[in-house]
């Protein structure tokens, strides 16, 4: 065992994870229903690109200007995807993939001459959740409240544009807290695990996410392992277990020949 439990580190990190889950779990179920699973990666990568652009401009990495740059990039990406879905709905998933790879490679080009560029990219992908401070949770908490209120007022019935805009805001608030990998995992894995449950889907998905974050943070602290990667694995293992013991879809009866 490499270290001990430090609640002063774990508690704010867990609070950050729970904030992310509050919006990502219900939005993740929407993503599955719409069949556009990789939108979260694309929007998260675009938000990360906004952060990189702000960094190139020597803005304070913890300042509101960086948050604004990430939000503007994510919203522009959301508007573009809204337009492409309207124009070419049959290839929307492919278009999302193209946008993701363009944003990812643009980030590589922008940091190519930065001696710390690789480290910065790694932080945006894997996140630095274990070092989150309470002061960093203020803006995400506000954004989470706004998105939660919108989802409540709309009863989860989101049109194309509202969905993409809310999604962009949610990802913007979370990508700098937990990184691209955890954004994707928080959105998709709990939703996958509970998709065949008839009751309490949302509550169960929240429980899976919270347990995954808690287990990953504790284990990463005890064994001095990368917290983001370990949370991804813990959350996924728990989700697989919940799915395995849950109800299975009915197999359609074969028609007689």
């Amino acid at each position: 065992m490499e270290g001990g439990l430090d609640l002063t580190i774990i508690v704010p990190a867990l609070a950050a994870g729970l904030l992310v889950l509050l919006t990502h779990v219900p939005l993740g179920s929407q993503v599955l229903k719409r069949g556009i699973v990789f939108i979260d990666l694309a929007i998260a990568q675009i938000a990360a690109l906004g952060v990189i652009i702000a960094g190139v401009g020597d803005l304070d990495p913890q300042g509101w200007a960086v948050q604004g740059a990430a939000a503007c990039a994510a919203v522009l990406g959301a508007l573009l995807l809204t337009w492409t879905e309207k124009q070419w709905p049959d290839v929307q998933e492919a278009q999302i993939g193209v946008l993701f790879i363009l944003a990812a490679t643009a980030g590589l080009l922008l940091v190519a001459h930065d001696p710390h560029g690789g480290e910065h990219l790694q932080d945006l992908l894997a996140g630095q959740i274990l070092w989150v401070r309470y002061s960093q949770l203020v803006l995400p908490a506000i954004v989470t409240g706004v998105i939660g209120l919108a989802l409540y007022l709309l009863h989860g019935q989101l049109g194309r544009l509202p969905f993409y805009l809310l999604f962009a805001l949610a990802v913007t608030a979370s990508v700098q807290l937990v990184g691209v990998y955890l954004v994707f995992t928080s959105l998709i894995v709990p939703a996958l695990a509970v998709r065949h449950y008839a009751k309490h889907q949302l509550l169960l998905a929240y429980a899976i996410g919270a347990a995954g974050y808690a287990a990953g943070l504790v284990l990463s602290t005890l064994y001095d392992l990368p917290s983001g990667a370990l949370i991804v694995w813990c959350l996924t293992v728990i989700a697989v277990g919940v799915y395995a013991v849950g109800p299975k879809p009915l197999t359609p009866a074969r028609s007689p020949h």
Side-chain angles (χ1 to χ4, degrees), residues 10-257:
I10 290 176
V11 172
L14 182 58
L18 295 178
L19 265 181
V20 169
L21 289 170
L22 281 175
T23 54
H24 285 42
V25 166
L27 287 173
S29 65
Q30 292 274 338
V31 167
L32 286 186
K33 289 177 183 177
R34 293 167 184 261
I36 46 174
V37 172
F38 291 105
I39 182 180
D40 45 351
L41 278 176
I43 296 294
Q45 193 67 57
I46 293 168
L49 178 60
V51 175
I52 292 171
I53 292 172
V56 171
D58 291 327
L59 297 178
D60 178 8
Q62 302 300 328
W64 287 75
V66 172
Q67 298 289 343
C72 287
V75 168
L76 287 173
L79 291 173
L80 178 59
L81 287 175
T82 302
W83 180 76
T84 59
E85 184 177 326
K86 186 176 179 180
Q87 296 295 317
W88 307 287
D90 55 321
V91 290
Q92 179 68 350
E93 187 78 348
Q95 293 170 137
I96 290 170
V98 171
L99 193 59
F100 163 75
I101 205 67
L102 286 174
T105 50
L108 287 172
L109 291 171
L110 285 172
V111 301
H113 299 295
D114 183 350
H116 303 290
E119 180 182 343
H120 189 38
L121 283 175
Q122 178 66 22
D123 288 346
L124 286 171
L125 290 173
Q128 290 290 318
I129 187 173
L130 206 58
W131 309 116
V132 167
R133 301 186 302 272
Y134 286 115
S135 60
Q136 294 174 259
L137 302 181
V138 176
L139 182 59
I142 295 171
V143 174
T144 297
V146 171
I147 294 172
L149 179 61
L151 290 172
Y152 174 77
L153 293 176
L154 295 171
H155 305 289
Q157 304 301 313
L158 301 176
R160 183 188 295 116
L161 182 58
F163 168 73
Y164 279 119
L165 290 179
L166 286 178
F167 195 92
L169 290 176
V171 168
T172 299
S174 61
V175 72
Q176 290 187 77
L177 284 179
V178 301
V180 173
Y181 297 154
L182 272 176
V183 166
F184 180 85
T185 305
S186 300
L187 279 158
I188 299 303
V189 174
L192 278 174
V194 304
R195 68 190 186 279
H196 295 141
Y197 281 77
K199 297 180 179 179
H200 310 301
Q201 277 194 359
L202 194 61
L203 185 61
L204 188 55
Y206 279 131
I208 292 168
Y213 270 91
L217 287 168
V218 169
L219 291 174
S220 68
T221 303
L222 289 176
Y223 295 101
D224 193 25
L225 291 169
S227 52
L230 198 51
I231 293 169
V232 168
W233 274 91
C234 288
L235 205 159
T236 302
V237 168
I238 293 169
V240 168
V242 171
Y243 178 81
V245 301
K248 300 299 181 290
L250 297 176
T251 304
R254 292 183 178 179
S255 57
H257 295 287

